[in-house]
Amino acid sequence: MTATPHDIPDTAPPERAAPPPGGRRRAAARLLPLLPATLTLAVCLIGIRRPSLWLDEAATISMASRSYGDMFAVFGHLDLVHALYYMIMRPWVLAFGTGELAVRLPSALATAAAAAGVTVLARRLHGTPAGLLGGLAFAVAVQTSRWAQEARSYALVAAVAVLATYLLVRAVAPDARRRWPWFACYVPAVMVLGFLHLHGVLLVAAHGATLLVARARPGIWARWLPTTALAAAPLVPFALAARDQTRQVAWLPEPSWDVVWTQIQFVCGSRALVAPVLAIAVIGAVAGLRARRETAPDAGAPDAGAPASGARGTVSLTAVAVPWLVLPTALLLAVSMVGDPMFYYRYTVYTLPALSLLAGAGLAWLRTAASRRAVLRIGVLAVAAAALVVPSLEAHDFVRREQSRPENMRKAAAAVAANARPGDAVVYLAGVVRWNAATYPDVFGRLDDVSMRVDPATAANLKGRDVFPRDLAPKLARHDRVWVMNHRSLDPHAPIVDARERAVQSAGPWREVRTWTFRGGWLVLFERTGPYRASP
């Protein structure tokens, strides 16, 4: 049946209205940080299980496996600067265990969050292209992967440093209608930064330098100074208490030009990356000084009313990134020159996002300066990206190898897992060896630690307390097999080490079943060949 004109509706059904262009831009701007964050997490998860857990990570596992009460008994004289991190890791370890992936995953997640923060921060300071490219530069940086694959606080400190810097930038922006909410959030961010790692609070000095460079108005200083003082209030007694524990870092190197050069290589990722990374960073710093801040608060849309970077009170990307990258390291080195050494390379991991800000601005400038033709822009950007990525491949491979860590405790644990029998004893030649064995507690925990007089939790330390050498032999008399383990830090000629080795031999007779050498120490299995006879 054919429809007549009267059967056809007078009007067509209404079509769904297309979203306005502004709405699409805002949606894309909200999703933009997810790309660098996802790439960062993917890169950091590659090979995260490959390197063995080592001594520093053993401290995390040992502390996070204790009750909070046992933790606080330690903090009075040891590891106070890591207290907050251990407390965060406690429920995580209870839920997910102490395997390589489990204990390192929080660092990888924090690094992904830092990548998203770098993207948002660079976009606000220098535009969307700089934001995206800065986040991607952070994702593929060598040190980003290295410390995302470490069960320590450094990646978390970097993420909080990005957050604190973003809050400051929002608080001092000329277009900010209400500044106090941003400053109010800035206070706990700085507190958490200091409690996660005390050296992280040096970021506040970099923020002060940023305000000086930006010629901040008196009203900004009137807000920033009291909020900073409020954040510092609990950190001052914390720092004073931690100062009494400086014997833990007596091994730190004295400042020298070699240390400075090593720090430059550390920040860039490797010696091969120094030239290309610094070149891109310098371009970004110059571009940041010259550029007009044309980024809207959140969406990355142009804002024609934004003041030029030279206007009073305006914060440029360079004013944020350069003090952040340079000042904490310079202050640590300066203090180390006049007092006890306080500088070490990994203590400055939280400055690495600043280098990515500069790299993003530099890559964005190369993209726009090349030509108006899209093909040439893509080509120039590809060459610049290759100059950063290709030299980093060898370093990326290295940080995922066993050789990138001082110890390969997994090899020792594998030897024990494959050869241990019920009733086997173990003698750690010093407390540091027992501390190191906490890397794989499920394996080494099967052995009867006859060399331990007081366990680490009860002793409120990481090493426990050792049995006196004269008491070792009677305890070993009840065992037919004993494992003896050493550590790279022990002097083989030290009297106490020699005394323990002689005590083991006096509990024999033994035959040596096998010796395993691994990066960071050695492990020997002895088996009894006759009855123990006590010496007169």
Side-chain angles (χ1 to χ4, degrees):
M1 181 175 178
T2 305
T4 65
H6 299 287
D7 297 325
I8 300 175
D10 292 336
T11 58
E15 296 182 359
R16 183 174 297 175
R24 288 197 295 268
R25 283 198 298 269
R26 283 192 291 272
R30 294 190 185 97
L31 294 176
L32 182 68
L34 294 180
L35 177 59
T38 303
L39 177 62
T40 300
L41 185 60
V43 172
C44 292
L45 289 178
I46 296 173
I48 194 171
R49 290 177 170 174
R50 197 173 302 156
S52 168
L53 296 167
W54 68 290
L55 189 68
D56 275 18
E57 293 176 303
T60 297
I61 294 170
S62 177
M63 293 296 294
S65 300
R66 308 179 189 193
S67 68
Y68 286 118
D70 287 340
M71 282 191 201
F72 280 102
V74 176
F75 298 149
H77 58 275
L78 188 71
D79 260 3
L80 179 63
V81 293
H82 298 298
L84 179 58
Y85 175 68
Y86 293 150
M87 292 165 65
I88 293 171
M89 289 297 292
R90 169 63 178 165
W92 182 273
V93 165
L94 285 176
F96 301 106
T98 58
E100 289 99 341
L101 177 61
V103 295
R104 290 170 175 166
L105 187 56
S107 294
L109 295 173
T111 304
V118 167
T119 304
V120 173
L121 185 56
R123 180 181 64 189
R124 178 165 187 85
L125 293 169
H126 206 73
T128 299
L132 178 59
L133 293 169
L136 295 177
F138 184 78
V140 300
V142 174
Q143 297 298 347
T144 298
S145 289
R146 171 63 184 88
W147 301 104
Q149 298 182 351
E150 182 88 356
R152 298 299 277 170
S153 64
Y154 307 113
L156 278 71
V157 176
V160 177
V162 173
L163 173 62
T165 304
Y166 176 75
L167 293 171
L168 177 74
V169 169
R170 291 302 304 265
V172 304
D175 59 356
R177 293 183 178 90
R178 299 178 63 191
R179 302 186 188 277
W180 277 116
W182 298 106
F183 278 117
C185 294
Y186 180 75
V187 172
V190 171
M191 287 182 182
V192 171
L193 186 66
F195 283 126
L196 275 175
H197 200 282
L198 196 54
H199 291 340
V201 81
L202 294 177
L203 180 66
V204 174
H207 287 170
T210 295
L211 297 183
L212 284 173
V213 172
R215 296 177 294 166
R217 297 181 182 276
I220 297 296
W221 288 104
R223 291 174 174 86
W224 181 73
L225 288 173
T227 54
T228 302
L230 184 61
L235 294 176
V236 170
F238 180 73
L240 293 175
R243 183 172 177 79
D244 294 333
Q245 300 178 10
T246 53
R247 65 185 183 280
Q248 288 183 250
V249 289
W251 52 269
L252 291 178
E254 297 283 345
S256 66
W257 288 113
D258 287 340
V259 169
V260 173
W261 171 235
T262 304
Q263 172 67 5
I264 293 172
Q265 297 177 73
F266 173 84
V267 170
C268 294
S270 70
R271 179 176 297 184
L273 284 166
V274 170
V277 168
L278 291 186
I280 297 294
V282 169
I283 293 172
V286 174
L289 286 174
R290 299 177 60 185
R292 296 178 62 89
R293 295 199 315 112
E294 296 179 346
T295 308
D298 287 309
D303 179 9
S309 60
R312 180 180 176 88
T314 301
V315 179
S316 68
L317 180 141
T318 304
V320 171
V322 172
W324 182 1
L325 177 63
V326 174
L327 199 56
T329 298
L331 289 174
L332 281 176
L333 288 171
V335 172
S336 299
M337 290 177 66
V338 300
D340 295 331
M342 296 180 61
F343 171 82
Y344 203 62
Y345 314 105
R346 59 177 176 257
Y347 297 167
T348 63
V349 168
Y350 68 92
T351 67
L352 299 177
L355 185 61
S356 297
L357 293 179
L358 294 171
L363 292 171
W365 183 87
L366 291 173
R367 169 184 171 273
T368 56
S371 172
R372 292 186 177 182
R373 299 178 66 177
V375 174
L376 290 177
R377 284 187 174 186
I378 294 174
V380 170
L381 193 58
V383 170
L388 295 176
V389 173
V390 173
S392 73
L393 295 179
E394 183 179 355
H396 270 291
D397 179 58
F398 176 76
V399 300
R400 290 165 172 81
R401 293 181 188 173
E402 292 290 357
Q403 293 85 348
S404 65
R405 305 304 194 266
E407 295 129 12
N408 183 2
M409 286 299 294
R410 184 194 289 119
K411 183 177 179 180
V416 172
N419 296 278
R421 298 176 186 172
D424 280 6
V426 63
V427 172
Y428 299 120
L429 293 181
V432 67
V433 192
R434 182 179 301 107
W435 168 8
N436 211 19
T439 47
Y440 297 95
D442 293 340
V443 175
F444 292 107
R446 303 175 191 174
L447 305 176
D448 181 10
D449 185 358
V450 295
S451 60
M452 180 176 68
R453 181 163 52 94
V454 182
D455 68 272
T458 305
N461 60 25
L462 294 169
K463 301 177 181 179
R465 295 195 180 95
D466 292 319
V467 168
F468 296 112
R470 64 175 180 269
D471 298 327
L472 263 180
K475 298 187 71 172
L476 284 170
R478 300 189 296 269
H479 296 272
D480 292 330
R481 289 166 33 114
V482 59
W483 299 76
V484 180
M485 187 182 290
N486 199 355
H487 185 261
R488 60 187 170 88
S489 66
L490 297 182
D491 180 359
H493 304 295
I496 188 66
V497 174
D498 182 63
R500 289 195 178 105
E501 288 182 321
R502 284 189 284 108
V504 171
Q505 293 305 318
S506 70
W510 310 100
R511 74 176 182 90
E512 183 179 315
V513 177
R514 185 174 173 183
T515 297
W516 292 265
T517 58
F518 55 93
R519 185 176 176 85
W522 52 255
L523 181 67
V524 183
L525 173 60
F526 293 102
E527 190 171 66
R528 186 175 297 282
T529 59
Y532 164 69
R533 290 183 175 86
S535 300

